Structures are given as structure tokens and as C-alpha cells.
Amino acid sequence: MSRGQQHKIALLPTEQRNEVVRDIILGRKSMYAVAKEIDTSDTSVSRYMATVTEQERLEIIAAAMGEAKMAEIQENADIVNQFGEDTDKDLKWVLRELKDLLKSAKDDDEKVLQLGTLKELRQSFMALADLHGKLNKKMDVHLNLNESPQFIQLRQIILDVLGRHPDAKADFLEQMKVLQVIKHST
């Protein structure tokens, strides 16, 4: 490849190029698979990937980790919300059935047996409702800022600006140590 010539990946539309780079960095696709996909050699893909900076790689990994955590949190929240809806609905059904049976039970042995079964179900549903209430009260979400692509970008901007003002950088890093945000200066 001559000096003025660009890599085939660099010629791709930005969105497609970014997706190719993400797929390789995150291990979704091999360089060989990408090379076949865009009709170039795997060494060409390898040369292009060598131009991707460490900072860009970290941002891609952090973004993927953030997306995965948010998806997991959303999935867990959906499960809890589903559980609550079903529990409320089931408790209402059991209570409605108990009321209907109590009204019609009088001296019917079969209905007395049904009442006993429903009483056991009611107790199980009450235990589930109690558990549901406890889960709703204790659901905490913890996010690590060091895995946030926006935080990584903000940190880089702050360090770039402070690099131009050495005295301010020293004061800033000292305050961060006091707040235990960083362990040592960079």
C-alpha cells in the first residue's frame, strides 16, 4: 500500500467502519471474517487495526460493558416488575375465590376441601407478596464510572485542559487524592 492510499476499512462509511472496529475489538468477529466480508486481505485489516489507539479501544470496551450492565439491570428490573404484577393479580384472584366459596360453602364437604386448598394457596401468595415488597425496597443499582465511556471522555478532556495548566493540575490531583477518587498522580 502506497503512502497516499488509505486502508479499505477507512473508506467505509463511518457507522460501518465503527461497527467493524467494535466487532473486532469485542471479539464478535475475527480479522479474517471482516476481511472476507469487505473483500480485502486479513493483513490489511490487521494494519488498519494497528491504527486504532489504546484510548479508542478502552472506550469501545467501556461502552460495551456499560451496555451489558444496563441490559442486565433492565432484565432484572423487568423480572421484578413482572413478578409483582403476577403476584398482585394472583392474590386478588385467590381472595376473590375465597370470598365466593365462603358465600356458597354452607354445609358442602367438597367446598370445605376447596377452601382448605385455597387457604394454603393464599398463604403462599402472601409469602410471595411479602418477598415482592422486600425486593422492591432493596433494589440498588451500582454503576462504576470508570466503565462509562462518557466518564472516560470527560476524564481525558479534564486531563488535557489541566495539562496546559500545570499548577492547576497539581492542585486538582491533590484534591482527588484527598477525596480518594484517585490513588496516585498520573
Side-chain angles (χ1 to χ4, degrees), residues 147-173:
E147 296 171 355
S148 165
Q150 292 85 0
F151 179 76
I152 290 173
Q153 187 178 14
L154 177 62
R155 179 179 63 195
Q156 190 59 47
I157 290 168
I158 290 170
L159 291 176
D160 289 345
V161 170
L162 289 174
R164 288 180 247 143
H165 306 279
D167 293 338
K169 183 176 182 178
D171 290 345
F172 175 80
L173 293 176

PDB file of all heavy atoms in Angstrom, residues 147-173:
ATOM      1  N   GLU A 147     -16.138   2.639  34.009  1.00  0.00           N
ATOM      2  CA  GLU A 147     -16.564   1.845  32.862  1.00  0.00           C
ATOM      3  C   GLU A 147     -17.472   2.651  31.932  1.00  0.00           C
ATOM      4  O   GLU A 147     -17.912   2.157  30.913  1.00  0.00           O
ATOM      5  CB  GLU A 147     -17.302   0.594  33.333  1.00  0.00           C
ATOM      6  CG  GLU A 147     -16.433  -0.343  34.124  1.00  0.00           C
ATOM      7  CD  GLU A 147     -17.198  -1.463  34.761  1.00  0.00           C
ATOM      8  OE1 GLU A 147     -18.435  -1.492  34.684  1.00  0.00           O
ATOM      9  OE2 GLU A 147     -16.551  -2.324  35.354  1.00  0.00           O
ATOM     10  N   SER A 148     -17.728   3.884  32.267  1.00  0.00           N
ATOM     11  CA  SER A 148     -18.611   4.730  31.461  1.00  0.00           C
ATOM     12  C   SER A 148     -17.817   5.428  30.367  1.00  0.00           C
ATOM     13  O   SER A 148     -16.852   6.136  30.644  1.00  0.00           O
ATOM     14  CB  SER A 148     -19.274   5.779  32.360  1.00  0.00           C
ATOM     15  OG  SER A 148     -19.850   6.799  31.587  1.00  0.00           O
ATOM     16  N   PRO A 149     -18.230   5.270  29.103  1.00  0.00           N
ATOM     17  CA  PRO A 149     -17.494   5.932  28.027  1.00  0.00           C
ATOM     18  C   PRO A 149     -17.533   7.459  28.167  1.00  0.00           C
ATOM     19  O   PRO A 149     -16.549   8.131  27.866  1.00  0.00           O
ATOM     20  CB  PRO A 149     -18.201   5.498  26.751  1.00  0.00           C
ATOM     21  CG  PRO A 149     -19.373   4.713  27.151  1.00  0.00           C
ATOM     22  CD  PRO A 149     -19.312   4.449  28.621  1.00  0.00           C
ATOM     23  N   GLN A 150     -18.648   7.993  28.665  1.00  0.00           N
ATOM     24  CA  GLN A 150     -18.744   9.437  28.843  1.00  0.00           C
ATOM     25  C   GLN A 150     -17.762   9.918  29.920  1.00  0.00           C
ATOM     26  O   GLN A 150     -17.154  10.961  29.793  1.00  0.00           O
ATOM     27  CB  GLN A 150     -20.179   9.852  29.232  1.00  0.00           C
ATOM     28  CG  GLN A 150     -21.183   9.660  28.135  1.00  0.00           C
ATOM     29  CD  GLN A 150     -21.744   8.242  28.070  1.00  0.00           C
ATOM     30  OE1 GLN A 150     -21.391   7.372  28.859  1.00  0.00           O
ATOM     31  NE2 GLN A 150     -22.618   8.009  27.113  1.00  0.00           N
ATOM     32  N   PHE A 151     -17.607   9.118  30.990  1.00  0.00           N
ATOM     33  CA  PHE A 151     -16.673   9.499  32.044  1.00  0.00           C
ATOM     34  C   PHE A 151     -15.235   9.413  31.546  1.00  0.00           C
ATOM     35  O   PHE A 151     -14.412  10.294  31.836  1.00  0.00           O
ATOM     36  CB  PHE A 151     -16.849   8.619  33.289  1.00  0.00           C
ATOM     37  CG  PHE A 151     -15.888   8.989  34.380  1.00  0.00           C
ATOM     38  CD1 PHE A 151     -16.095  10.118  35.155  1.00  0.00           C
ATOM     39  CD2 PHE A 151     -14.766   8.225  34.632  1.00  0.00           C
ATOM     40  CE1 PHE A 151     -15.204  10.478  36.154  1.00  0.00           C
ATOM     41  CE2 PHE A 151     -13.873   8.578  35.626  1.00  0.00           C
ATOM     42  CZ  PHE A 151     -14.091   9.707  36.381  1.00  0.00           C
ATOM     43  N   ILE A 152     -14.925   8.395  30.763  1.00  0.00           N
ATOM     44  CA  ILE A 152     -13.568   8.257  30.219  1.00  0.00           C
ATOM     45  C   ILE A 152     -13.256   9.469  29.339  1.00  0.00           C
ATOM     46  O   ILE A 152     -12.176  10.051  29.418  1.00  0.00           O
ATOM     47  CB  ILE A 152     -13.420   6.942  29.423  1.00  0.00           C
ATOM     48  CG1 ILE A 152     -13.460   5.753  30.389  1.00  0.00           C
ATOM     49  CG2 ILE A 152     -12.145   6.923  28.609  1.00  0.00           C
ATOM     50  CD1 ILE A 152     -13.499   4.403  29.707  1.00  0.00           C
ATOM     51  N   GLN A 153     -14.234   9.864  28.531  1.00  0.00           N
ATOM     52  CA  GLN A 153     -14.044  11.028  27.666  1.00  0.00           C
ATOM     53  C   GLN A 153     -13.891  12.303  28.496  1.00  0.00           C
ATOM     54  O   GLN A 153     -13.013  13.119  28.239  1.00  0.00           O
ATOM     55  CB  GLN A 153     -15.234  11.149  26.715  1.00  0.00           C
ATOM     56  CG  GLN A 153     -15.071  12.217  25.669  1.00  0.00           C
ATOM     57  CD  GLN A 153     -16.255  12.257  24.716  1.00  0.00           C
ATOM     58  OE1 GLN A 153     -17.300  11.682  24.983  1.00  0.00           O
ATOM     59  NE2 GLN A 153     -16.099  12.940  23.607  1.00  0.00           N
ATOM     60  N   LEU A 154     -14.734  12.475  29.516  1.00  0.00           N
ATOM     61  CA  LEU A 154     -14.648  13.647  30.388  1.00  0.00           C
ATOM     62  C   LEU A 154     -13.300  13.694  31.108  1.00  0.00           C
ATOM     63  O   LEU A 154     -12.667  14.741  31.187  1.00  0.00           O
ATOM     64  CB  LEU A 154     -15.791  13.635  31.406  1.00  0.00           C
ATOM     65  CG  LEU A 154     -15.791  14.771  32.428  1.00  0.00           C
ATOM     66  CD1 LEU A 154     -15.937  16.112  31.729  1.00  0.00           C
ATOM     67  CD2 LEU A 154     -16.899  14.563  33.445  1.00  0.00           C
ATOM     68  N   ARG A 155     -12.858  12.539  31.613  1.00  0.00           N
ATOM     69  CA  ARG A 155     -11.570  12.475  32.309  1.00  0.00           C
ATOM     70  C   ARG A 155     -10.436  12.901  31.371  1.00  0.00           C
ATOM     71  O   ARG A 155      -9.550  13.665  31.760  1.00  0.00           O
ATOM     72  CB  ARG A 155     -11.332  11.053  32.830  1.00  0.00           C
ATOM     73  CG  ARG A 155      -9.999  10.906  33.546  1.00  0.00           C
ATOM     74  CD  ARG A 155      -9.778   9.524  34.078  1.00  0.00           C
ATOM     75  NE  ARG A 155      -9.739   8.595  32.964  1.00  0.00           N
ATOM     76  CZ  ARG A 155      -9.848   7.292  33.075  1.00  0.00           C
ATOM     77  NH1 ARG A 155     -10.021   6.742  34.245  1.00  0.00           N
ATOM     78  NH2 ARG A 155      -9.798   6.512  32.020  1.00  0.00           N
ATOM     79  N   GLN A 156     -10.493  12.442  30.105  1.00  0.00           N
ATOM     80  CA  GLN A 156      -9.453  12.794  29.143  1.00  0.00           C
ATOM     81  C   GLN A 156      -9.468  14.296  28.862  1.00  0.00           C
ATOM     82  O   GLN A 156      -8.418  14.932  28.788  1.00  0.00           O
ATOM     83  CB  GLN A 156      -9.636  12.000  27.841  1.00  0.00           C
ATOM     84  CG  GLN A 156      -8.464  12.132  26.898  1.00  0.00           C
ATOM     85  CD  GLN A 156      -7.158  11.653  27.521  1.00  0.00           C
ATOM     86  OE1 GLN A 156      -7.095  10.585  28.118  1.00  0.00           O
ATOM     87  NE2 GLN A 156      -6.118  12.456  27.421  1.00  0.00           N
ATOM     88  N   ILE A 157     -10.668  14.874  28.736  1.00  0.00           N
ATOM     89  CA  ILE A 157     -10.778  16.315  28.495  1.00  0.00           C
ATOM     90  C   ILE A 157     -10.191  17.092  29.672  1.00  0.00           C
ATOM     91  O   ILE A 157      -9.420  18.039  29.496  1.00  0.00           O
ATOM     92  CB  ILE A 157     -12.250  16.723  28.252  1.00  0.00           C
ATOM     93  CG1 ILE A 157     -12.732  16.173  26.905  1.00  0.00           C
ATOM     94  CG2 ILE A 157     -12.429  18.227  28.313  1.00  0.00           C
ATOM     95  CD1 ILE A 157     -14.230  16.272  26.696  1.00  0.00           C
ATOM     96  N   ILE A 158     -10.557  16.690  30.895  1.00  0.00           N
ATOM     97  CA  ILE A 158     -10.051  17.368  32.098  1.00  0.00           C
ATOM     98  C   ILE A 158      -8.529  17.293  32.150  1.00  0.00           C
ATOM     99  O   ILE A 158      -7.851  18.293  32.389  1.00  0.00           O
ATOM    100  CB  ILE A 158     -10.676  16.765  33.372  1.00  0.00           C
ATOM    101  CG1 ILE A 158     -12.157  17.118  33.460  1.00  0.00           C
ATOM    102  CG2 ILE A 158      -9.939  17.249  34.622  1.00  0.00           C
ATOM    103  CD1 ILE A 158     -12.921  16.372  34.548  1.00  0.00           C
ATOM    104  N   LEU A 159      -7.983  16.092  31.887  1.00  0.00           N
ATOM    105  CA  LEU A 159      -6.527  15.938  31.937  1.00  0.00           C
ATOM    106  C   LEU A 159      -5.836  16.736  30.830  1.00  0.00           C
ATOM    107  O   LEU A 159      -4.761  17.312  31.051  1.00  0.00           O
ATOM    108  CB  LEU A 159      -6.149  14.459  31.871  1.00  0.00           C
ATOM    109  CG  LEU A 159      -6.514  13.650  33.116  1.00  0.00           C
ATOM    110  CD1 LEU A 159      -6.196  12.171  32.908  1.00  0.00           C
ATOM    111  CD2 LEU A 159      -5.808  14.178  34.349  1.00  0.00           C
ATOM    112  N   ASP A 160      -6.461  16.802  29.635  1.00  0.00           N
ATOM    113  CA  ASP A 160      -5.884  17.607  28.545  1.00  0.00           C
ATOM    114  C   ASP A 160      -5.843  19.080  28.926  1.00  0.00           C
ATOM    115  O   ASP A 160      -4.828  19.768  28.731  1.00  0.00           O
ATOM    116  CB  ASP A 160      -6.688  17.430  27.255  1.00  0.00           C
ATOM    117  CG  ASP A 160      -6.506  16.064  26.626  1.00  0.00           C
ATOM    118  OD1 ASP A 160      -5.556  15.348  27.011  1.00  0.00           O
ATOM    119  OD2 ASP A 160      -7.309  15.717  25.743  1.00  0.00           O
ATOM    120  N   VAL A 161      -6.950  19.599  29.466  1.00  0.00           N
ATOM    121  CA  VAL A 161      -7.016  21.004  29.859  1.00  0.00           C
ATOM    122  C   VAL A 161      -6.030  21.278  30.998  1.00  0.00           C
ATOM    123  O   VAL A 161      -5.295  22.265  30.981  1.00  0.00           O
ATOM    124  CB  VAL A 161      -8.455  21.410  30.268  1.00  0.00           C
ATOM    125  CG1 VAL A 161      -8.483  22.787  30.902  1.00  0.00           C
ATOM    126  CG2 VAL A 161      -9.373  21.370  29.051  1.00  0.00           C
ATOM    127  N   LEU A 162      -6.012  20.386  31.981  1.00  0.00           N
ATOM    128  CA  LEU A 162      -5.103  20.588  33.114  1.00  0.00           C
ATOM    129  C   LEU A 162      -3.641  20.443  32.706  1.00  0.00           C
ATOM    130  O   LEU A 162      -2.754  21.020  33.340  1.00  0.00           O
ATOM    131  CB  LEU A 162      -5.443  19.612  34.242  1.00  0.00           C
ATOM    132  CG  LEU A 162      -6.758  19.899  34.973  1.00  0.00           C
ATOM    133  CD1 LEU A 162      -7.060  18.788  35.973  1.00  0.00           C
ATOM    134  CD2 LEU A 162      -6.712  21.241  35.668  1.00  0.00           C
ATOM    135  N   GLY A 163      -3.381  19.700  31.621  1.00  0.00           N
ATOM    136  CA  GLY A 163      -2.021  19.572  31.108  1.00  0.00           C
ATOM    137  C   GLY A 163      -1.463  20.917  30.655  1.00  0.00           C
ATOM    138  O   GLY A 163      -0.257  21.155  30.697  1.00  0.00           O
ATOM    139  N   ARG A 164      -2.359  21.805  30.246  1.00  0.00           N
ATOM    140  CA  ARG A 164      -1.951  23.139  29.820  1.00  0.00           C
ATOM    141  C   ARG A 164      -1.785  24.091  31.003  1.00  0.00           C
ATOM    142  O   ARG A 164      -1.322  25.216  30.839  1.00  0.00           O
ATOM    143  CB  ARG A 164      -2.982  23.700  28.838  1.00  0.00           C
ATOM    144  CG  ARG A 164      -2.921  22.993  27.482  1.00  0.00           C
ATOM    145  CD  ARG A 164      -3.938  23.547  26.517  1.00  0.00           C
ATOM    146  NE  ARG A 164      -4.893  22.459  26.296  1.00  0.00           N
ATOM    147  CZ  ARG A 164      -6.182  22.605  26.136  1.00  0.00           C
ATOM    148  NH1 ARG A 164      -6.729  23.791  26.156  1.00  0.00           N
ATOM    149  NH2 ARG A 164      -6.958  21.572  25.951  1.00  0.00           N
ATOM    150  N   HIS A 165      -2.198  23.666  32.186  1.00  0.00           N
ATOM    151  CA  HIS A 165      -2.108  24.487  33.401  1.00  0.00           C
ATOM    152  C   HIS A 165      -1.519  23.622  34.531  1.00  0.00           C
ATOM    153  O   HIS A 165      -2.249  23.119  35.385  1.00  0.00           O
ATOM    154  CB  HIS A 165      -3.492  25.014  33.794  1.00  0.00           C
ATOM    155  CG  HIS A 165      -4.179  25.740  32.681  1.00  0.00           C
ATOM    156  ND1 HIS A 165      -3.894  27.051  32.367  1.00  0.00           N
ATOM    157  CD2 HIS A 165      -5.125  25.333  31.799  1.00  0.00           C
ATOM    158  CE1 HIS A 165      -4.639  27.412  31.335  1.00  0.00           C
ATOM    159  NE2 HIS A 165      -5.394  26.390  30.970  1.00  0.00           N
ATOM    160  N   PRO A 166      -0.190  23.458  34.549  1.00  0.00           N
ATOM    161  CA  PRO A 166       0.458  22.535  35.492  1.00  0.00           C
ATOM    162  C   PRO A 166       0.132  22.809  36.957  1.00  0.00           C
ATOM    163  O   PRO A 166      -0.045  21.870  37.730  1.00  0.00           O
ATOM    164  CB  PRO A 166       1.952  22.717  35.220  1.00  0.00           C
ATOM    165  CG  PRO A 166       2.042  23.380  33.878  1.00  0.00           C
ATOM    166  CD  PRO A 166       0.764  24.113  33.669  1.00  0.00           C
ATOM    167  N   ASP A 167       0.038  24.072  37.359  1.00  0.00           N
ATOM    168  CA  ASP A 167      -0.260  24.363  38.768  1.00  0.00           C
ATOM    169  C   ASP A 167      -1.665  23.895  39.123  1.00  0.00           C
ATOM    170  O   ASP A 167      -1.908  23.308  40.188  1.00  0.00           O
ATOM    171  CB  ASP A 167      -0.124  25.859  39.061  1.00  0.00           C
ATOM    172  CG  ASP A 167       1.319  26.346  38.946  1.00  0.00           C
ATOM    173  OD1 ASP A 167       2.236  25.505  39.060  1.00  0.00           O
ATOM    174  OD2 ASP A 167       1.516  27.559  38.742  1.00  0.00           O
ATOM    175  N   ALA A 168      -2.612  24.158  38.240  1.00  0.00           N
ATOM    176  CA  ALA A 168      -3.996  23.730  38.477  1.00  0.00           C
ATOM    177  C   ALA A 168      -4.073  22.204  38.491  1.00  0.00           C
ATOM    178  O   ALA A 168      -4.814  21.617  39.284  1.00  0.00           O
ATOM    179  CB  ALA A 168      -4.917  24.301  37.408  1.00  0.00           C
ATOM    180  N   LYS A 169      -3.292  21.552  37.631  1.00  0.00           N
ATOM    181  CA  LYS A 169      -3.307  20.089  37.577  1.00  0.00           C
ATOM    182  C   LYS A 169      -2.822  19.503  38.900  1.00  0.00           C
ATOM    183  O   LYS A 169      -3.430  18.573  39.434  1.00  0.00           O
ATOM    184  CB  LYS A 169      -2.439  19.585  36.423  1.00  0.00           C
ATOM    185  CG  LYS A 169      -2.483  18.078  36.266  1.00  0.00           C
ATOM    186  CD  LYS A 169      -1.695  17.615  35.049  1.00  0.00           C
ATOM    187  CE  LYS A 169      -1.805  16.120  34.890  1.00  0.00           C
ATOM    188  NZ  LYS A 169      -1.100  15.634  33.712  1.00  0.00           N
ATOM    189  N   ALA A 170      -1.771  20.065  39.446  1.00  0.00           N
ATOM    190  CA  ALA A 170      -1.243  19.568  40.722  1.00  0.00           C
ATOM    191  C   ALA A 170      -2.283  19.742  41.827  1.00  0.00           C
ATOM    192  O   ALA A 170      -2.510  18.819  42.624  1.00  0.00           O
ATOM    193  CB  ALA A 170       0.049  20.300  41.077  1.00  0.00           C
ATOM    194  N   ASP A 171      -2.931  20.918  41.888  1.00  0.00           N
ATOM    195  CA  ASP A 171      -3.978  21.156  42.899  1.00  0.00           C
ATOM    196  C   ASP A 171      -5.148  20.201  42.707  1.00  0.00           C
ATOM    197  O   ASP A 171      -5.688  19.634  43.660  1.00  0.00           O
ATOM    198  CB  ASP A 171      -4.495  22.600  42.833  1.00  0.00           C
ATOM    199  CG  ASP A 171      -3.468  23.616  43.326  1.00  0.00           C
ATOM    200  OD1 ASP A 171      -2.484  23.207  43.980  1.00  0.00           O
ATOM    201  OD2 ASP A 171      -3.675  24.809  43.058  1.00  0.00           O
ATOM    202  N   PHE A 172      -5.576  20.018  41.462  1.00  0.00           N
ATOM    203  CA  PHE A 172      -6.707  19.147  41.155  1.00  0.00           C
ATOM    204  C   PHE A 172      -6.401  17.711  41.584  1.00  0.00           C
ATOM    205  O   PHE A 172      -7.208  17.056  42.259  1.00  0.00           O
ATOM    206  CB  PHE A 172      -7.015  19.209  39.648  1.00  0.00           C
ATOM    207  CG  PHE A 172      -8.087  18.269  39.215  1.00  0.00           C
ATOM    208  CD1 PHE A 172      -9.430  18.588  39.409  1.00  0.00           C
ATOM    209  CD2 PHE A 172      -7.778  17.056  38.609  1.00  0.00           C
ATOM    210  CE1 PHE A 172     -10.429  17.729  39.010  1.00  0.00           C
ATOM    211  CE2 PHE A 172      -8.773  16.195  38.204  1.00  0.00           C
ATOM    212  CZ  PHE A 172     -10.099  16.519  38.406  1.00  0.00           C
ATOM    213  N   LEU A 173      -5.241  17.189  41.205  1.00  0.00           N
ATOM    214  CA  LEU A 173      -4.877  15.818  41.550  1.00  0.00           C
ATOM    215  C   LEU A 173      -4.746  15.634  43.062  1.00  0.00           C
ATOM    216  O   LEU A 173      -5.110  14.585  43.600  1.00  0.00           O
ATOM    217  CB  LEU A 173      -3.590  15.402  40.827  1.00  0.00           C
ATOM    218  CG  LEU A 173      -3.721  15.277  39.303  1.00  0.00           C
ATOM    219  CD1 LEU A 173      -2.367  14.961  38.671  1.00  0.00           C
ATOM    220  CD2 LEU A 173      -4.750  14.229  38.922  1.00  0.00           C
TER     221      LEU A 173
END
